[in-house]
Amino acid sequence: MASKPNAIVAQSGGPTTVINASACGVIQQAMKSGKIGKVIGAINGILGVLKEDLFDISAEKPETIEALKQTPAAAIGSCRYKLKSLEESKADFQRVLDVFKAQNIRYFFYAGGNDSMDTADKVNKLAAEAGYELVCMGIPKTVDNDLAYTDHCPGYPSVAKYVATCAAEAGKDTEALYTTDTCTILEVMGRNAGWIAAATGLAARSPEDAPHLVYMPEAAFSFDKLVGDVREVLGRLGRVFIVAGEGLKDKNGKYVTADSGAFAKDSFGHIQLGGVAEMLKAVIEKEVGIKARFNKLGTNQRAAMHFASATDVREAYMCGKMAVTYALKGVNGKMVTLVRAKGRDYKCSTGLAELRDVANGEKKVPRDFINDKGNHITKAMRDYLRPLVQGQAKITVGKDGVPEFMRFKRKPLNKKLPNYL
Amino acid sequence: MASKPNAIVAQSGGPTTVINASACGVIQQAMKSGKIGKVIGAINGILGVLKEDLFDISAEKPETIEALKQTPAAAIGSCRYKLKSLEESKADFQRVLDVFKAQNIRYFFYAGGNDSMDTADKVNKLAAEAGYELVCMGIPKTVDNDLAYTDHCPGYPSVAKYVATCAAEAGKDTEALYTTDTCTILEVMGRNAGWIAAATGLAARSPEDAPHLVYMPEAAFSFDKLVGDVREVLGRLGRVFIVAGEGLKDKNGKYVTADSGAFAKDSFGHIQLGGVAEMLKAVIEKEVGIKARFNKLGTNQRAAMHFASATDVREAYMCGKMAVTYALKGVNGKMVTLVRAKGRDYKCSTGLAELRDVANGEKKVPRDFINDKGNHITKAMRDYLRPLVQGQAKITVGKDGVPEFMRFKRKPLNKKLPNYL
């Protein structure tokens, strides 16, 4: 009797607080389905597939798998290795299929953003052409919340809750010490979409509350505008708390950090995003003549399990679980989406979108979520966000007062193919 | 009949998560003592005293006062205005006394660090010389944990718990994405003392766990050493997570950021601490040839009420409460200290230290709390820290998923003196 087909789970791109919850949903649902042999983890995403660096997740302890729900980042390992078109990355795509065949993998669950959905779509096409029976399912993941066809992306609600809390807290600090530290800039992630910056607006319940200014890549930014905005808030409150998305752009859509010496490039010559806070600080100190300081949460914002959204963890798990449920029902080539029910009470279920549509789509903050001045959010944004950040995710705090996270043992699968990469 | 004497509460210097809990202890204890008239808040610390910018805290709603325990930063307002010697700042000191007399203030409760204890001590001396009956009590406050004569400082346990958690979480992120982002640097506060950096070491429960390297100002730092340390960890794990206190110094005790162009000075020409992460990133990328990124928590670390230590909140409240209790028993010119009982179980009570001793003291991380290589902590540090970070402080989360904080109405007291400053 032929053994049951195996399933592979891979995580891709920048980690989130809940991508492990999605993995947990896939693993637990696959293991209890009775229709799947091993659940295999691809160490460091598609790199693990290419290198045949795989491990048997189903051999891990059940409590380790359960603890995925309480562990941030990507426990199976992630990477930023990008496969291009089927022609340009032909050898890579063929290798993926060869590894799947060698390991009897018939289900491919891939959690990631646009690029990952693109990869999953192309692997799926190649398998179909080759007559290899394979089901490819995408699971949405990105703190940036910029995937189309889904109401929101797992990972976003948690970063939203955390950065809004950070803005409220650091805002209190600025309010307390404004006679010295008059301006604070909180830099948050978001290269092309301002969803994370927008989320901090939730903390501004009154005009006195931080943040007073929220800059998102979707609204054209200029330093003249910044200086004017800062002066206006200073005149009113004597202090100013600013949130800046890392990818602010001018009216021509050019990154404002791209042309500025020290901030422009990283050591590899790439344009280095994330220098926006330093730049705003320098401009405000010079032009407005007040002391400014900045907080840059960096990867801490996308890893803040200790104050993650319980709603997010639940929905991320649901996405993983439903990916398996759909796959076993014969669905193929789709990404699971989150669908918000119409009506006053928040209800969220799952739907499906074509992998290739998601790969080609992008969802920015709608214009009506941003105020007319382009420096804060509107009620529409608040209404969108509020249900997503409800509840605090469960964590386990150790005897040392610090949260405890799991780590897989990663029992390696025997390699069946020659080395690659 | 003469009205009861009033008490004034002031907060000074960089805010903490729990300085408001100390204020709450003072206010509630003073109000229920029956021996004190108004409890007066000095808006923005000593500046509020000098300007006679005062408000009647006892007129605030009891629930607002109670909510101080859940609100970070300094709700009465803080400042960095420094009084020098009695000779140099003679007019200021005289003004403080004049305001106290005009407002019938006989109790001065001052929460702050060394400088604040110095100020309180001098005000006390001047009052004695002038024959003005005044009780001056200090309440310890600093995230830096560098006050002498106290086992630890309220504010430190919360920042410790938070930065250790941040290191654990961002460490998981680096572990997940090390194939691209191989090195992460977490910059934390601490100009002269490495207590905050040291606290992150708590997260490293196993050699695989972040942080792998912890640099504190107490251990001489060099970039050669850094490069060697980074290479060692990379060889072992393929990734490296580094914590750097902002005030790293070389073997001559000179700040490593002081001599380095863009990082050296802020817009006012002061040496700008806090650029250490950028500098480490640049050196590691150039010398080791791996990508490095940095997280700079900034004021968020000292305002992180959402994951504060319950032990810290309780002890901070106790310090404020005991300051009043001692004052009403006739104690004067002292700072309340925290005294850890000997023995296996953690017990903490309060003691007293001379204001002038605290003003002149400083407590750095002891050498035996730092490992021989000067790049991590020892068991002694863990043992010291563990009891302090126990429990999560109570917070109230709003319907919008974000913690709610109080704000005083600040009903101003009538000014009785001419303007000053």
Side-chain angles (χ1 to χ4, degrees):
Chain A
M1 192 185 94
S3 60
K4 287 178 191 167
N6 296 324
I8 194 164
V9 195
Q11 300 173 314
S12 183
T16 76
T17 316
V18 302
I19 187 173
N20 284 332
S22 289
C24 185
V26 170
I27 297 161
Q28 291 183 341
Q29 190 70 6
M31 285 174 71
K32 77 176 183 191
S33 71
K35 295 176 181 169
I36 288 172
K38 285 192 175 75
V39 181
I40 294 168
I43 296 177
N44 302 330
I46 205 72
L47 271 181
V49 179
L50 292 170
K51 294 179 176 176
E52 211 182 351
D53 274 344
L54 310 173
F55 72 104
D56 184 359
I57 299 185
S58 18
E60 301 280 342
K61 287 183 188 165
E63 57 266 34
T64 304
I65 293 167
E66 179 66 21
L68 281 164
K69 291 177 190 165
Q70 300 187 26
T71 302
I76 310 174
S78 185
C79 72
R80 289 201 189 278
Y81 189 89
K82 187 167 157 58
L83 278 74
K84 298 176 187 164
S85 68
L86 276 171
E87 294 70 37
E88 285 175 283
S89 299
K90 192 175 175 182
D92 280 353
F93 279 109
Q94 187 57 50
R95 170 73 178 187
V96 169
L97 208 57
D98 290 346
V99 170
F100 284 3
K101 284 182 190 170
Q103 297 286 354
N104 191 27
I105 291 163
R106 300 284 178 171
Y107 297 95
F108 177 29
F109 298 103
Y110 202 19
N114 306 43
D115 288 345
S116 310
M117 298 310 136
D118 186 61
T119 298
D121 184 51
K122 283 167 180 161
V123 168
N124 202 29
K125 283 195 174 62
L126 195 66
E129 284 170 20
Y132 180 72
E133 210 172 297
L134 179 70
V135 175
C136 293
M137 292 294 293
I139 298 156
K141 175 255 27 164
T142 165
V143 288
D144 290 331
N145 202 39
D146 59 353
L147 293 186
Y149 303 96
T150 183
D151 178 76
H152 55 282
C153 300
Y156 174 64
S158 289
V159 73
K161 183 183 183 81
Y162 180 66
V163 295
T165 299
C166 285
E169 291 178 337
K172 278 297 189 189
D173 190 282
T174 308
E175 189 174 335
L177 202 59
Y178 70 93
T179 55
T180 308
D181 294 351
T182 311
C183 173
T184 306
I185 301 150
L186 177 66
E187 178 182 309
V188 298
M189 288 179 163
R191 280 192 299 280
N192 295 308
W195 289 104
I196 301 179
T200 65
L202 207 53
R205 293 152 173 147
S206 84
E208 281 199 75
D209 291 339
H212 309 111
L213 299 169
V214 179
Y215 296 114
M216 298 155 266
E218 287 85 351
F221 179 86
S222 81
F223 288 104
D224 282 347
K225 177 181 157 59
L226 169 73
V227 168
D229 287 353
V230 166
R231 288 201 173 117
E232 187 279 320
V233 178
L234 283 179
R236 187 157 48 84
L237 298 172
R239 64 181 188 272
V240 58
F241 192 98
I242 302 169
V243 171
E246 60 183 342
L248 295 185
K249 292 167 184 171
D250 65 19
K251 63 179 190 226
N252 301 314
K254 206 173 141 195
Y255 289 116
V256 298
T257 43
D259 250 356
S260 50
F263 304 109
K265 297 191 174 177
D266 67 16
S267 59
F268 302 122
H270 304 132
I271 289 176
Q272 175 79 31
L273 292 163
V276 78
E278 290 97 320
M279 187 172 291
L280 265 58
K281 167 182 154 71
V283 169
I284 290 167
E285 294 198 332
K286 183 156 179 284
E287 300 298 326
V288 187
I290 54 172
K291 194 181 160 202
R293 56 187 305 162
F294 72 90
N295 303 346
K296 181 182 158 152
L297 300 174
T299 54
N300 275 113
Q301 68 200 284
R302 70 183 183 201
M305 191 77 235
H306 73 275
F307 207 65
S309 157
T311 305
D312 194 21
V313 173
R314 191 171 59 244
E315 292 177 351
Y317 182 88
M318 177 170 73
C319 286
K321 178 181 162 176
M322 289 306 294
V324 174
T325 304
Y326 286 126
L328 294 177
K329 280 185 182 168
V331 173
N332 185 18
K334 314 271 187 188
M335 183 188 82
V336 176
T337 62
L338 289 171
V339 181
R340 187 190 299 232
K342 296 208 185 302
R344 209 173 59 90
D345 294 334
Y346 178 75
K347 276 180 201 159
C348 187
S349 58
T350 59
L352 291 165
E354 296 290 335
L355 287 172
R356 67 172 168 277
D357 290 343
V358 178
N360 295 325
E362 187 181 37
K363 190 179 67 177
K364 300 206 173 187
V365 180
R367 192 60 191 83
D368 70 316
F369 281 23
I370 305 172
N371 73 359
D372 289 343
K373 289 180 179 169
N375 63 15
H376 220 294
I377 61 167
T378 61
K379 183 175 177 295
M381 177 71 208
R382 290 172 179 275
D383 292 343
Y384 169 80
L385 196 54
R386 201 178 299 108
L388 309 186
V389 296
Q390 294 301 314
Q392 281 170 251
K394 191 186 158 196
I395 53 169
T396 302
V397 176
K399 284 182 184 170
D400 53 13
V402 179
E404 289 183 335
F405 305 129
M406 50 64 70
R407 180 181 282 128
F408 283 129
K409 289 210 180 301
R410 293 189 176 177
K411 185 188 158 194
L413 285 190
N414 289 331
K415 296 193 182 191
K416 304 202 169 167
L417 297 177
N419 283 346
Y420 182 90
L421 285 188
Chain B
M1 193 185 91
S3 61
K4 286 180 192 166
N6 297 323
I8 194 164
V9 195
Q11 300 174 312
S12 183
T16 76
T17 316
V18 302
I19 187 173
N20 284 332
S22 289
C24 185
V26 170
I27 297 161
Q28 292 184 340
Q29 189 70 4
M31 286 175 70
K32 78 175 184 191
S33 71
K35 296 176 181 169
I36 288 171
K38 285 192 175 74
V39 181
I40 294 168
I43 295 176
N44 301 331
I46 205 72
L47 271 181
V49 180
L50 293 169
K51 293 179 176 177
E52 212 184 349
D53 274 344
L54 310 173
F55 72 104
D56 184 359
I57 298 186
S58 18
E60 301 280 343
K61 287 184 188 163
E63 57 266 34
T64 305
I65 294 167
E66 179 66 21
L68 280 164
K69 291 178 190 164
Q70 300 187 26
T71 302
I76 310 175
S78 186
C79 72
R80 290 201 188 276
Y81 189 88
K82 187 168 158 57
L83 278 74
K84 298 176 187 166
S85 69
L86 277 171
E87 294 70 38
E88 285 175 284
S89 298
K90 193 175 173 181
D92 280 354
F93 279 109
Q94 187 55 52
R95 170 72 179 188
V96 169
L97 208 57
D98 291 346
V99 170
F100 284 4
K101 285 181 189 170
Q103 298 285 353
N104 191 27
I105 290 163
R106 300 283 177 170
Y107 298 96
F108 177 29
F109 298 103
Y110 203 18
N114 306 43
D115 288 344
S116 310
M117 299 310 136
D118 186 60
T119 298
D121 185 50
K122 285 168 180 162
V123 168
N124 202 30
K125 283 194 173 64
L126 195 66
E129 284 170 20
Y132 180 72
E133 211 173 294
L134 180 71
V135 174
C136 294
M137 292 293 293
I139 298 156
K141 173 253 33 162
T142 164
V143 289
D144 290 332
N145 202 40
D146 58 353
L147 293 185
Y149 304 95
T150 183
D151 178 76
H152 56 281
C153 299
Y156 174 64
S158 289
V159 72
K161 184 182 180 83
Y162 181 66
V163 296
T165 299
C166 285
E169 291 177 337
K172 278 298 190 189
D173 190 281
T174 308
E175 189 174 333
L177 202 58
Y178 71 93
T179 55
T180 307
D181 294 351
T182 311
C183 172
T184 306
I185 301 151
L186 177 67
E187 178 183 309
V188 298
M189 287 180 165
R191 280 192 299 279
N192 295 309
W195 290 104
I196 301 180
T200 65
L202 207 52
R205 293 154 174 147
S206 84
E208 281 199 75
D209 290 340
H212 309 111
L213 299 169
V214 179
Y215 295 113
M216 298 154 267
E218 287 84 351
F221 179 86
S222 81
F223 287 105
D224 280 348
K225 178 182 155 56
L226 169 75
V227 168
D229 286 354
V230 166
R231 288 202 174 118
E232 188 279 321
V233 178
L234 282 179
R236 188 158 46 86
L237 297 173
R239 64 183 187 270
V240 58
F241 191 99
I242 302 169
V243 171
E246 60 183 340
L248 295 186
K249 291 168 184 171
D250 65 20
K251 62 178 188 222
N252 301 315
K254 206 173 139 196
Y255 289 117
V256 298
T257 43
D259 250 356
S260 48
F263 305 109
K265 297 188 176 181
D266 67 17
S267 59
F268 301 121
H270 304 131
I271 289 176
Q272 175 79 34
L273 292 164
V276 79
E278 291 95 321
M279 187 172 290
L280 266 58
K281 167 182 153 72
V283 169
I284 290 167
E285 294 198 333
K286 182 156 179 285
E287 300 298 325
V288 186
I290 54 172
K291 193 181 162 203
R293 54 186 306 160
F294 72 92
N295 303 345
K296 181 182 155 148
L297 300 173
T299 55
N300 275 113
Q301 69 200 281
R302 69 183 185 202
M305 190 78 234
H306 73 275
F307 206 64
S309 157
T311 305
D312 194 20
V313 173
R314 191 170 60 244
E315 292 178 350
Y317 182 88
M318 177 170 72
C319 285
K321 178 181 163 179
M322 290 306 294
V324 174
T325 304
Y326 286 125
L328 294 175
K329 281 185 181 168
V331 174
N332 185 19
K334 314 271 187 188
M335 184 187 81
V336 176
T337 61
L338 289 172
V339 181
R340 187 191 299 232
K342 297 209 184 302
R344 209 173 58 91
D345 294 335
Y346 178 76
K347 276 180 201 159
C348 188
S349 58
T350 59
L352 292 164
E354 296 290 336
L355 286 173
R356 67 172 170 279
D357 290 343
V358 178
N360 296 323
E362 189 181 36
K363 191 179 65 177
K364 300 204 173 188
V365 180
R367 192 59 191 83
D368 69 316
F369 281 23
I370 305 171
N371 72 359
D372 290 342
K373 290 182 180 170
N375 63 15
H376 220 295
I377 61 167
T378 61
K379 182 174 177 296
M381 177 71 209
R382 292 172 179 274
D383 291 344
Y384 169 81
L385 194 55
R386 201 178 300 106
L388 309 186
V389 296
Q390 294 301 314
Q392 280 168 251
K394 190 186 159 195
I395 53 170
T396 302
V397 175
K399 285 183 183 168
D400 53 12
V402 179
E404 288 183 335
F405 305 129
M406 49 65 68
R407 181 181 281 127
F408 284 128
K409 289 209 182 302
R410 293 189 177 178
K411 184 188 159 193
L413 285 190
N414 289 332
K415 296 192 182 192
K416 305 203 169 165
L417 297 176
N419 283 346
Y420 181 90
L421 284 190

